[in-house]
Amino acid sequence: MGSSGLARLQGLFAVYKPPGLKWLHLRETVELQLLKGLNAQQPPAPDQRVRFLLGPVEGSEEKKLTLRATSVPSLTTHRLVRGPAFTNLKIGVGHRLDVQASGVLVLAVGHGRSLLTDMYDAHLTKDYTVRGLLGKATDNFCEDGRLIEKTTYDHVTRERLDRILAVIQGSHQKALVIGAVYARDAAAAEEAGA
């Protein structure tokens, strides 16, 4: 693949991050696998250099030595001397997921990293699924945390839970609408001033 393979390695791609795995570890694993693929390609043939080597004179029975021009490979570009051709890649991460979270992690390579900002600024819709356990509280709000409180939850009904979730969802939608109106007004004011 060589440098032409690196030039073709551009863009965005999605990777599934399972729970219990840090996003940085996943990014480093992807980088390692891409580097292995880039470095596994057949290296080009080594350059040939002309060297003057001592050798016996051809056709002479005397033990006389003379210099002869000989073509030998240059080992300065050999993989075992120089090391791997690619040692690091610039890989960007679209967003960071918590260790206990699972989901799609957007990674970018090369010029695709500039697209991450555009993707972030687009405010794409995100979908979350939350799982909880009623009646237990831990010190770090995760299921693997130390239990600090345990109580009954008979008073929690489906109707009450739906009502609270509707209030939360409504406040987020209201904030979204207010943000859109503010952005529209700011753009209009900027155009009027220009």
Side-chain angles (χ1 to χ4, degrees):
M1 201 182 283
S3 61
S4 66
L6 182 61
R8 289 184 300 194
L9 196 57
Q10 310 288 335
L12 297 170
F13 58 99
V15 179
Y16 173 74
K17 187 195 99 51
L21 182 69
K22 292 182 180 179
W23 66 268
L24 185 59
H25 185 263
L26 181 65
R27 183 203 156 283
E28 289 171 350
T29 302
V30 168
E31 180 182 10
L32 179 68
Q33 293 303 317
L34 289 173
L35 287 172
K36 277 184 181 177
L38 285 170
N39 288 320
Q41 300 301 316
Q42 185 66 24
D47 296 334
Q48 296 291 320
R49 294 193 169 210
V50 175
R51 297 282 185 209
F52 293 97
L53 302 174
L54 281 175
V57 177
E58 289 182 21
S60 173
E61 293 183 11
E62 295 179 21
K63 296 198 176 199
K64 193 174 186 184
L65 297 177
T66 183
L67 287 177
R68 290 188 322 165
T70 307
S71 179
V72 295
S74 172
L75 298 179
T76 58
T77 58
H78 193 275
R79 182 178 289 179
L80 294 177
V81 174
R82 182 182 42 105
F86 302 100
T87 55
N88 65 352
L89 285 175
K90 293 183 178 181
I91 297 180
V93 180
H95 59 286
R96 291 162 178 83
L97 292 173
D98 187 56
V99 174
Q100 295 304 323
S102 65
V104 176
L105 191 65
V106 178
L107 299 177
V109 178
H111 298 301
R113 291 178 301 131
S114 63
L115 298 174
L116 289 176
T117 305
D118 296 337
M119 194 173 86
Y120 179 78
D121 292 341
H123 299 289
L124 300 172
T125 304
K126 297 175 184 160
D127 185 22
Y128 294 96
T129 303
V130 179
R131 192 169 44 96
L133 185 61
L134 299 175
K136 291 186 179 181
T138 60
D139 60 346
N140 62 357
F141 302 109
C142 293
E143 61 186 350
D144 62 346
R146 187 174 55 84
L147 184 66
I148 58 174
E149 187 178 348
K150 190 173 181 180
T151 185
T152 62
Y153 54 92
D154 297 341
H155 61 284
V156 179
T157 63
R158 179 66 182 203
E159 294 79 29
R160 287 181 176 173
L161 194 57
D162 286 340
R163 219 176 346 184
I164 291 172
L165 291 175
V167 168
I168 294 170
Q169 187 177 15
S171 66
H172 281 80
Q173 287 176 347
K174 183 178 178 182
L176 182 66
V177 169
I178 290 172
V181 169
Y182 175 75
R184 182 194 67 203
D185 293 345
E190 186 177 312
E191 284 181 15

Coordinates of all heavy atoms in Angstrom, one line a residue, residues 14-77:
A14 N -17.6 4.2 11.4 CA -18.3 3.9 12.7 C -17.8 2.6 13.3 O -17.6 1.6 12.6 CB -19.8 3.9 12.6
V15 N -17.6 2.6 14.6 CA -17.1 1.4 15.3 C -18.0 1.2 16.5 O -18.4 2.1 17.2 CB -15.7 1.6 15.8 CG1 -15.2 0.3 16.6 CG2 -14.7 1.9 14.6
Y16 N -18.4 -0.1 16.8 CA -19.2 -0.4 18.0 C -18.3 -0.5 19.2 O -17.3 -1.2 19.2 CB -20.0 -1.7 17.8 CG -20.7 -2.1 19.0 CD1 -21.9 -1.5 19.4 CD2 -20.2 -3.2 19.8 CE1 -22.5 -1.8 20.6 CE2 -20.9 -3.6 21.0 CZ -22.0 -2.9 21.4 OH -22.6 -3.3 22.5
K17 N -18.7 0.3 20.2 CA -17.9 0.2 21.5 C -18.8 -0.6 22.5 O -19.8 -0.1 22.9 CB -17.6 1.6 22.0 CG -16.7 1.5 23.3 CD -16.7 2.8 24.0 CE -17.6 2.8 25.2 NZ -17.5 1.8 26.2
P18 N -18.3 -1.7 23.0 CA -19.0 -2.5 24.0 C -18.9 -1.9 25.4 O -17.9 -1.1 25.6 CB -18.4 -3.9 23.9 CG -17.0 -3.6 23.4 CD -17.1 -2.4 22.5
P19 N -19.8 -2.2 26.3 CA -19.6 -1.7 27.7 C -18.4 -2.3 28.3 O -18.0 -3.4 28.0 CB -20.9 -2.1 28.4 CG -21.4 -3.2 27.6 CD -21.0 -3.0 26.2
G20 N -17.7 -1.5 29.2 CA -16.6 -2.0 29.9 C -15.2 -1.7 29.2 O -14.2 -2.0 29.7
L21 N -15.3 -1.1 28.0 CA -14.1 -0.8 27.3 C -14.0 0.7 27.1 O -14.9 1.4 26.8 CB -14.2 -1.4 25.9 CG -13.0 -1.3 24.9 CD1 -11.8 -2.1 25.5 CD2 -13.4 -1.7 23.5
K22 N -12.8 1.2 27.4 CA -12.6 2.7 27.3 C -12.5 3.1 25.8 O -11.9 2.3 25.0 CB -11.3 3.1 28.0 CG -11.3 3.0 29.5 CD -10.0 3.4 30.1 CE -10.1 3.3 31.6 NZ -8.9 3.7 32.2
W23 N -13.0 4.2 25.5 CA -13.0 4.7 24.1 C -11.6 4.9 23.6 O -11.3 4.6 22.4 CB -13.8 6.0 23.9 CG -13.2 7.2 24.6 CD1 -13.5 7.6 25.9 CD2 -12.2 8.1 24.1 NE1 -12.8 8.7 26.1 CE2 -12.0 9.0 25.1 CE3 -11.6 8.1 22.9 CZ2 -11.0 10.0 24.9 CZ3 -10.6 9.2 22.7 CH2 -10.4 10.1 23.7
L24 N -10.7 5.3 24.4 CA -9.3 5.5 24.0 C -8.6 4.2 23.7 O -7.9 4.1 22.7 CB -8.5 6.2 25.1 CG -7.1 6.6 24.8 CD1 -7.0 7.5 23.6 CD2 -6.4 7.2 26.0
H25 N -9.0 3.1 24.4 CA -8.4 1.8 24.1 C -8.9 1.3 22.7 O -8.2 0.7 21.9 CB -8.8 0.8 25.2 CG -8.2 -0.6 25.0 ND1 -8.8 -1.6 24.4 CD2 -6.9 -1.0 25.3 CE1 -8.0 -2.6 24.3 NE2 -6.9 -2.3 24.9
L26 N -10.2 1.6 22.4 CA -10.8 1.2 21.2 C -10.1 1.9 20.0 O -9.7 1.4 19.0 CB -12.3 1.4 21.2 CG -13.0 1.0 19.9 CD1 -13.0 -0.4 19.7 CD2 -14.4 1.5 20.0
R27 N -9.9 3.2 20.2 CA -9.2 4.0 19.2 C -7.8 3.6 18.9 O -7.4 3.4 17.8 CB -9.2 5.5 19.7 CG -8.6 6.5 18.6 CD -8.1 7.7 19.4 NE -7.1 8.4 18.6 CZ -5.8 8.0 18.5 NH1 -5.4 6.9 19.2 NH2 -4.9 8.7 17.8
E28 N -7.1 3.2 20.0 CA -5.7 2.7 19.9 C -5.7 1.4 19.2 O -4.8 1.1 18.4 CB -5.0 2.7 21.2 CG -4.7 4.0 21.8 CD -4.2 4.0 23.2 OE1 -4.3 2.9 23.9 OE2 -3.8 5.1 23.7
T29 N -6.6 0.5 19.4 CA -6.7 -0.8 18.8 C -7.0 -0.6 17.3 O -6.3 -1.3 16.5 CB -7.8 -1.6 19.4 OG1 -7.6 -1.7 20.8 CG2 -7.9 -3.0 18.8
V30 N -7.9 0.3 16.9 CA -8.1 0.5 15.5 C -6.9 1.1 14.8 O -6.5 0.7 13.7 CB -9.3 1.5 15.3 CG1 -9.4 2.0 13.9 CG2 -10.6 0.8 15.8
E31 N -6.2 2.0 15.5 CA -5.0 2.6 14.9 C -3.9 1.5 14.7 O -3.3 1.4 13.7 CB -4.4 3.7 15.8 CG -3.1 4.3 15.3 CD -2.6 5.3 16.3 OE1 -3.0 5.5 17.4 OE2 -1.6 6.0 15.9
L32 N -3.8 0.6 15.7 CA -2.8 -0.5 15.6 C -3.1 -1.4 14.4 O -2.2 -1.8 13.7 CB -2.7 -1.3 16.9 CG -1.8 -2.4 17.0 CD1 -0.3 -2.0 16.9 CD2 -2.0 -3.3 18.2
Q33 N -4.3 -1.7 14.2 CA -4.7 -2.6 13.1 C -4.5 -2.0 11.8 O -4.1 -2.6 10.8 CB -6.2 -3.1 13.3 CG -6.4 -4.0 14.5 CD -5.6 -5.2 14.5 OE1 -5.4 -5.9 13.4 NE2 -5.0 -5.5 15.6
L34 N -4.8 -0.7 11.7 CA -4.6 0.1 10.4 C -3.1 0.1 10.1 O -2.7 0.0 9.0 CB -5.2 1.5 10.5 CG -6.7 1.5 10.4 CD1 -7.2 2.9 10.7 CD2 -7.3 1.0 9.1
L35 N -2.3 0.4 11.2 CA -0.8 0.5 11.0 C -0.3 -0.9 10.5 O 0.6 -1.0 9.7 CB -0.1 0.9 12.2 CG -0.3 2.4 12.5 CD1 0.3 2.8 13.9 CD2 0.4 3.3 11.5
K36 N -0.8 -2.0 11.1 CA -0.3 -3.3 10.7 C -0.6 -3.6 9.3 O 0.2 -4.1 8.5 CB -1.0 -4.4 11.6 CG -0.4 -4.6 12.9 CD -1.1 -5.8 13.6 CE -0.5 -6.0 15.0 NZ -1.2 -7.1 15.7
G37 N -1.8 -3.1 8.8 CA -2.2 -3.3 7.4 C -1.3 -2.5 6.5 O -0.9 -3.0 5.4
L38 N -1.0 -1.3 6.9 CA -0.2 -0.4 6.0 C 1.2 -1.0 6.0 O 1.9 -1.0 4.9 CB -0.1 1.0 6.6 CG -1.4 1.9 6.3 CD1 -1.3 3.1 7.1 CD2 -1.5 2.2 4.9
N39 N 1.8 -1.4 7.1 CA 3.2 -1.9 7.1 C 3.3 -3.4 6.6 O 4.4 -3.8 6.3 CB 3.7 -1.8 8.5 CG 4.0 -0.4 8.9 OD1 4.4 0.4 8.2 ND2 3.7 -0.1 10.2
A40 N 2.2 -4.1 6.4 CA 2.3 -5.5 5.9 C 2.5 -5.5 4.4 O 2.8 -6.6 3.9 CB 1.0 -6.2 6.3
Q41 N 2.3 -4.4 3.7 CA 2.5 -4.4 2.3 C 3.9 -4.7 1.9 O 4.8 -4.4 2.6 CB 2.0 -3.1 1.7 CG 0.6 -2.7 2.0 CD -0.4 -3.8 1.5 OE1 -0.3 -4.2 0.3 NE2 -1.3 -4.2 2.3
Q42 N 4.0 -5.3 0.7 CA 5.4 -5.6 0.1 C 6.2 -4.4 -0.1 O 5.7 -3.5 -0.8 CB 5.2 -6.4 -1.2 CG 6.5 -6.9 -1.7 CD 7.1 -8.0 -0.9 OE1 6.5 -8.7 -0.1 NE2 8.4 -8.1 -1.0
P43 N 7.3 -4.2 0.5 CA 8.1 -3.0 0.3 C 8.7 -3.0 -1.1 O 8.8 -4.0 -1.8 CB 9.3 -3.2 1.3 CG 9.4 -4.6 1.5 CD 8.0 -5.2 1.4
P44 N 9.0 -1.8 -1.6 CA 9.6 -1.7 -3.0 C 11.0 -2.3 -3.0 O 11.6 -2.5 -1.9 CB 9.6 -0.2 -3.2 CG 9.6 0.4 -1.9 CD 8.8 -0.5 -1.0
A45 N 11.4 -2.7 -4.2 CA 12.7 -3.3 -4.3 C 13.8 -2.3 -3.9 O 13.6 -1.1 -4.1 CB 13.0 -3.7 -5.7
P46 N 14.8 -2.7 -3.2 CA 15.8 -1.8 -2.7 C 16.6 -1.1 -3.8 O 16.8 -1.7 -4.9 CB 16.8 -2.6 -1.8 CG 16.6 -4.0 -2.3 CD 15.2 -4.1 -2.8
D47 N 17.0 0.1 -3.6 CA 17.8 0.8 -4.6 C 19.1 0.1 -4.8 O 19.7 -0.4 -3.8 CB 18.0 2.3 -4.2 CG 16.8 3.1 -4.1 OD1 15.8 2.7 -4.8 OD2 16.7 4.1 -3.3
Q48 N 19.7 0.2 -6.0 CA 21.0 -0.4 -6.3 C 22.0 0.7 -6.3 O 21.8 1.8 -6.7 CB 21.0 -1.1 -7.6 CG 20.0 -2.3 -7.7 CD 20.5 -3.4 -6.9 OE1 21.6 -3.7 -6.8 NE2 19.5 -4.1 -6.2
R49 N 23.2 0.4 -5.7 CA 24.3 1.4 -5.7 C 25.5 0.7 -6.3 O 25.7 -0.5 -6.2 CB 24.6 1.8 -4.2 CG 23.5 2.5 -3.6 CD 23.9 3.2 -2.4 NE 22.9 4.1 -2.0 CZ 23.1 5.2 -1.3 NH1 24.4 5.5 -1.0 NH2 22.2 6.0 -1.0
V50 N 26.3 1.5 -6.8 CA 27.6 1.0 -7.4 C 28.7 1.1 -6.4 O 28.9 2.2 -5.8 CB 28.0 1.8 -8.7 CG1 29.3 1.4 -9.2 CG2 26.9 1.7 -9.7
R51 N 29.3 0.0 -6.1 CA 30.4 -0.1 -5.1 C 31.6 -0.7 -5.8 O 31.5 -1.5 -6.7 CB 30.0 -1.0 -3.9 CG 28.9 -0.5 -3.1 CD 29.3 0.6 -2.2 NE 28.2 1.0 -1.4 CZ 28.1 2.2 -0.9 NH1 28.9 3.1 -1.2 NH2 27.0 2.5 -0.1
F52 N 32.8 -0.2 -5.4 CA 34.0 -0.7 -6.0 C 34.6 -1.7 -5.0 O 34.9 -1.3 -3.8 CB 35.0 0.4 -6.3 CG 34.6 1.3 -7.4 CD1 33.9 2.5 -7.1 CD2 34.8 0.9 -8.7 CE1 33.5 3.3 -8.2 CE2 34.3 1.7 -9.7 CZ 33.7 2.9 -9.5
L53 N 34.6 -3.0 -5.4 CA 35.0 -4.1 -4.5 C 36.3 -4.7 -5.0 O 36.5 -4.8 -6.2 CB 33.9 -5.1 -4.4 CG 32.6 -4.7 -3.9 CD1 31.6 -5.8 -4.0 CD2 32.6 -4.2 -2.5
L54 N 37.1 -5.1 -4.0 CA 38.4 -5.8 -4.4 C 38.1 -7.2 -4.8 O 37.2 -7.9 -4.2 CB 39.3 -5.9 -3.2 CG 40.1 -4.6 -2.9 CD1 40.9 -4.8 -1.6 CD2 41.0 -4.3 -4.1
G55 N 38.7 -7.6 -5.9 CA 38.5 -9.0 -6.4 C 39.6 -9.4 -7.3 O 40.4 -8.6 -7.8
P56 N 39.7 -10.7 -7.5 CA 40.8 -11.2 -8.4 C 40.6 -10.8 -9.8 O 39.5 -10.6 -10.2 CB 40.8 -12.7 -8.2 CG 39.4 -13.0 -7.8 CD 38.9 -11.8 -7.0
V57 N 41.7 -10.6 -10.5 CA 41.6 -10.3 -11.9 C 41.1 -11.5 -12.7 O 41.7 -12.6 -12.5 CB 42.9 -9.8 -12.5 CG1 42.9 -9.5 -13.9 CG2 43.4 -8.6 -11.7
E58 N 40.1 -11.3 -13.5 CA 39.5 -12.5 -14.3 C 40.5 -12.9 -15.4 O 41.1 -12.1 -16.1 CB 38.2 -12.1 -14.9 CG 37.1 -11.9 -13.9 CD 35.8 -11.6 -14.6 OE1 35.6 -11.8 -15.7 OE2 34.9 -11.0 -13.9
G59 N 40.7 -14.2 -15.5 CA 41.6 -14.8 -16.5 C 43.0 -14.7 -16.1 O 43.9 -15.2 -16.9
S60 N 43.4 -14.3 -14.9 CA 44.8 -14.2 -14.5 C 45.0 -15.3 -13.5 O 44.2 -15.5 -12.6 CB 45.1 -12.8 -14.0 OG 46.4 -12.8 -13.4
E61 N 46.1 -16.0 -13.6 CA 46.4 -17.0 -12.6 C 47.2 -16.4 -11.4 O 47.4 -17.1 -10.4 CB 47.2 -18.1 -13.2 CG 46.4 -18.8 -14.3 CD 47.1 -20.0 -14.9 OE1 48.2 -20.4 -14.4 OE2 46.6 -20.5 -15.8
E62 N 47.6 -15.2 -11.5 CA 48.3 -14.5 -10.4 C 47.3 -14.2 -9.3 O 46.1 -14.0 -9.6 CB 49.0 -13.3 -10.9 CG 50.1 -13.5 -11.9 CD 50.7 -12.2 -12.4 OE1 50.6 -11.2 -11.6 OE2 51.3 -12.2 -13.4
K63 N 47.8 -14.0 -8.1 CA 46.9 -13.7 -7.0 C 46.9 -12.1 -6.9 O 47.1 -11.6 -5.9 CB 47.3 -14.3 -5.7 CG 47.2 -15.8 -5.8 CD 47.3 -16.4 -4.5 CE 47.1 -17.9 -4.6 NZ 46.6 -18.5 -3.5
K64 N 46.6 -11.5 -8.0 CA 46.6 -10.0 -8.0 C 45.1 -9.6 -7.8 O 44.2 -10.1 -8.4 CB 47.1 -9.6 -9.4 CG 47.4 -8.2 -9.5 CD 48.0 -7.9 -10.9 CE 48.5 -6.5 -10.9 NZ 49.1 -6.2 -12.2
L65 N 44.9 -8.5 -7.0 CA 43.6 -8.0 -6.7 C 43.4 -6.7 -7.5 O 44.4 -5.9 -7.7 CB 43.4 -7.8 -5.2 CG 43.4 -9.0 -4.4 CD1 43.3 -8.6 -2.9 CD2 42.3 -10.0 -4.7
T66 N 42.2 -6.4 -7.9 CA 41.9 -5.2 -8.6 C 40.5 -4.7 -8.1 O 39.7 -5.5 -7.6 CB 41.9 -5.4 -10.1 OG1 41.7 -4.1 -10.7 CG2 40.9 -6.3 -10.6
L67 N 40.2 -3.5 -8.3 CA 38.9 -2.9 -8.0 C 38.0 -3.1 -9.2 O 38.3 -2.8 -10.3 CB 39.0 -1.4 -7.7 CG 39.7 -1.0 -6.4 CD1 39.8 0.5 -6.3 CD2 38.9 -1.6 -5.2
R68 N 36.8 -3.6 -8.9 CA 35.8 -3.8 -9.9 C 34.5 -3.1 -9.5 O 34.1 -3.1 -8.3 CB 35.5 -5.3 -10.1 CG 36.6 -6.1 -10.7 CD 36.2 -7.5 -11.0 NE 35.4 -8.1 -10.0 CZ 34.7 -9.2 -10.2 NH1 34.8 -9.8 -11.3 NH2 33.9 -9.6 -9.3
A69 N 33.8 -2.5 -10.4 CA 32.5 -1.9 -10.1 C 31.5 -2.9 -10.1 O 31.3 -3.8 -10.9 CB 32.2 -0.9 -11.2
T70 N 30.7 -2.9 -8.9 CA 29.7 -3.9 -8.7 C 28.4 -3.2 -8.2 O 28.5 -2.3 -7.4 CB 30.1 -4.9 -7.6 OG1 31.4 -5.5 -8.0 CG2 29.1 -6.1 -7.5
S71 N 27.3 -3.7 -8.7 CA 26.0 -3.2 -8.3 C 25.5 -4.0 -7.1 O 25.3 -5.2 -7.2 CB 25.0 -3.3 -9.4 OG 23.8 -2.8 -9.0
V72 N 25.2 -3.3 -5.9 CA 24.8 -4.0 -4.7 C 23.5 -3.2 -4.2 O 23.4 -2.0 -4.4 CB 25.9 -4.0 -3.6 CG1 27.1 -4.8 -4.0 CG2 26.3 -2.6 -3.2
P73 N 22.7 -3.9 -3.5 CA 21.5 -3.2 -2.9 C 21.8 -2.3 -1.8 O 22.7 -2.6 -1.0 CB 20.6 -4.4 -2.5 CG 21.5 -5.5 -2.3 CD 22.6 -5.4 -3.2
S74 N 21.2 -1.2 -1.7 CA 21.4 -0.2 -0.6 C 20.5 -0.7 0.5 O 19.3 -0.8 0.4 CB 21.0 1.2 -1.1 OG 21.0 2.0 0.0
L75 N 21.1 -0.9 1.7 CA 20.4 -1.4 2.8 C 19.8 -0.3 3.7 O 19.2 -0.5 4.7 CB 21.2 -2.4 3.7 CG 21.7 -3.6 2.9 CD1 22.5 -4.5 3.8 CD2 20.5 -4.4 2.5
T76 N 20.1 1.0 3.4 CA 19.6 2.1 4.2 C 18.1 2.2 4.2 O 17.5 2.7 5.1 CB 20.2 3.4 3.7 OG1 19.9 3.6 2.3 CG2 21.7 3.4 3.9
T77 N 17.4 1.7 3.1 CA 16.0 1.8 3.1 C 15.3 0.4 3.4 O 14.1 0.3 3.3 CB 15.5 2.2 1.7 OG1 16.0 1.3 0.7 CG2 16.0 3.6 1.4

